[in-house]
């Protein structure tokens, strides 16, 4: 046998739905997996061009695409899914045979990990205080969990979860548009430009995800192959493209400008609590002038 045999090999694992992806859908998922994997390697490789104290955004962004790569590997193999009875039986020939529809719960595991990291990239860029970052990420997790429960619910109650998820989503949008944007603007034009570029892209794409959900898991309007293309394009734009734009914007931005004071092992605090590079191999830092009064702090040998 030649070609993509993943669906045949894994047929029946997790259950078989009446309406599921074909080899075309599987091929698309493999292609997206390849892009996510390549982006992960690229982001990690670029991190080595920066000091260790400046790699936080590279690592977060690489974690996003690496997690997505694993999810798309699973979906391409026909794994991480479960058949769910559809609420709406459509007359459209593409979906009319559906008694059960394939729901990829692994997609929601991906989102549960990656969407908080996406927000962390954005909100750290804006210099938001930690309490605001935490509540925003919590609302995002609420949004993903309600989406998963709704997708796994056969009755009309799924739309109740859909409403709850969108309410959480609107809170996230409020923070991104009205709160974080002001913080980013206060940090200077370079930070503001990077935040606005990535923020506008994220908000635009995230408004399309509920539409994709309504057409696929929610309303059973489009075939799982079409669902794969819809979600795949959104994820490619929301993760590798977003990551490339973010890291490009951060190329001349120091974490310290964002209030992120990250220290390395070859730094030590002086008598005034300020971390300085160690001079020599024995950890001695002699004759360091600190403060505005010309006082010299000498570390004992």
């Amino acid at each position: 046998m030649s070609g993509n045999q993943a669906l045949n090999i894994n047929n029946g694992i997790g259950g078989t739905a009446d309406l599921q992806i074909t080899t075309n859908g599987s091929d698309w998922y493999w292609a997206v997996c390849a892009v996510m994997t390549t982006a992960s390697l690229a982001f990690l490789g670029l991190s080595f061009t920066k000091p260790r104290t400046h790699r936080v955004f590279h690592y977060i962004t690489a974690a996003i695409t690496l997690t997505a790569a694993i999810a798309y590997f699973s979906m391409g193999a026909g794994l991480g899914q479960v058949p769910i009875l559809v609420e709406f039986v459509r007359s459209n020939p593409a979906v009319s045979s559906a008694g059960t529809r394939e729901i990829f719960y692994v997609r929601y595991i991906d989102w549960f990990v990656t969407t908080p990291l996406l927000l962390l990239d954005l909100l750290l860029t804006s210099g938001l205080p930690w309490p605001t970052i935490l509540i925003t990420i919590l609302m995002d997790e609420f949004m993903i969990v309600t989406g998963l429960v709704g997708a796994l619910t056969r009755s009309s109650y799924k739309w109740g979860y859909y409403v709850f998820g969108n309410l959480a989503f609107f809170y996230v949008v409020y923070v991104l548009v009205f709160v974080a944007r002001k913080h980013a603007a206060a940090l200077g034009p370079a930070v503001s430009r990077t935040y606005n570029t990535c923020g506008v892209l994220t908000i635009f794409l995230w408004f399309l995800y509920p539409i994709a959900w309504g057409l696929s898991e929610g309303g059973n309007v489009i075939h799982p192959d079409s669902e794969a293309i819809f979600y795949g394009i959104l994820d490619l734009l929301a993760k590798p493209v977003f990551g490339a734009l973010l890291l490009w914007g951060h190329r001349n931005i120091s974490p310290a400008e964002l209030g992120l004071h990250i220290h390395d092992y070859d730094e030590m605090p002086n008598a005034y609590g300020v971390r300085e590079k160690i001079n020599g191999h024995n950890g001695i830092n002699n004759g360091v002038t600190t403060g505005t009064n010309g006082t010299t702090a000498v570390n004992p040998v």
Side-chain angles (χ1 to χ4, degrees):
M1 293 187 296
S2 61
N4 183 359
Q5 298 297 320
L7 299 182
N8 293 329
I9 294 172
N10 296 312
N11 184 40
I13 298 178
T16 301
D18 300 324
L19 196 60
Q20 57 186 348
I21 60 170
T22 66
T23 302
N24 291 332
S26 176
D27 288 341
W28 168 251
Y29 279 137
W30 288 122
V32 178
C33 174
V35 174
M36 295 293 185
T37 303
T38 302
S40 303
L41 295 174
F43 295 151
L44 286 173
L46 287 171
S47 72
F48 290 100
T49 66
K50 296 285 188 178
R52 284 186 296 271
T53 55
H54 289 58
R55 296 177 184 176
V56 59
F57 291 99
H58 292 77
Y59 291 159
I60 293 173
T61 308
I64 292 168
T65 50
L66 184 58
T67 302
I70 296 169
Y72 275 91
F73 174 88
S74 302
M75 291 186 287
L79 301 172
Q81 57 81 27
V82 62
I84 297 295
L85 286 169
V86 299
E87 178 187 0
F88 302 105
V89 178
R90 303 293 184 179
S91 58
N92 180 358
V95 295
S96 60
S97 63
T100 56
R101 182 186 179 98
E102 183 177 60
I103 302 296
F104 282 105
Y105 59 82
V106 71
R107 190 193 310 279
Y108 293 88
I109 297 174
D110 166 8
W111 290 342
F112 192 82
V113 175
T114 59
T115 56
L117 293 177
L118 283 162
L119 287 176
L120 194 60
D121 261 343
L122 274 176
L123 300 182
L124 288 179
T125 298
S126 72
L128 269 185
W130 279 106
T132 307
I133 293 176
L134 290 176
I135 187 59
T136 306
I137 289 177
L138 178 62
M139 296 303 289
D140 171 75
E141 301 283 31
F142 184 83
M143 175 181 71
I144 301 304
V145 170
T146 53
L148 172 59
V149 177
L152 298 177
T153 300
R154 191 250 179 182
S155 72
S156 60
Y157 277 75
K158 70 168 57 188
W159 300 104
Y161 292 106
Y162 182 78
V163 171
F164 281 124
N166 276 293
L167 290 175
F169 169 58
F170 290 143
Y171 179 83
V172 172
V173 171
Y174 164 77
V175 172
L176 293 178
V177 173
F178 295 103
V179 182
R181 183 174 58 85
K182 292 180 180 178
H183 278 76
L187 295 177
V191 174
S192 180
R193 182 169 53 251
T194 300
Y195 175 81
N196 287 335
T197 299
C198 296
V200 168
L201 175 65
T202 298
I203 293 170
F204 170 72
L205 294 173
W206 281 25
F207 266 106
L208 297 178
Y209 279 95
I211 297 174
W213 190 96
L215 294 175
S216 51
E217 298 104 316
N220 189 40
V221 176
I222 60 176
H223 190 275
D225 283 349
S226 300
E227 170 191 333
I229 294 172
F230 200 161
Y231 279 133
I233 291 174
L234 291 178
D235 279 350
L236 286 171
L237 293 174
K239 291 168 183 174
V241 173
F242 166 90
L245 291 172
L246 183 92
L247 295 182
W248 176 256
H250 273 276
R251 67 192 185 281
N252 295 320
I253 299 174
S254 167
E257 296 177 52
L258 309 176
L260 300 174
H261 302 288
I262 304 170
H263 307 296
D264 208 344
Y265 69 88
D266 58 351
E267 296 175 338
M268 61 181 295
N270 63 14
Y272 293 86
V274 178
R275 288 184 174 264
E276 299 169 335
K277 289 288 184 181
I278 297 175
N279 180 22
H281 298 289
N282 56 1
I284 300 173
N285 188 8
N286 293 317
V288 179
T289 301
T290 309
T292 58
N293 59 0
T295 305
T296 302
V298 180
N299 295 324
V301 178

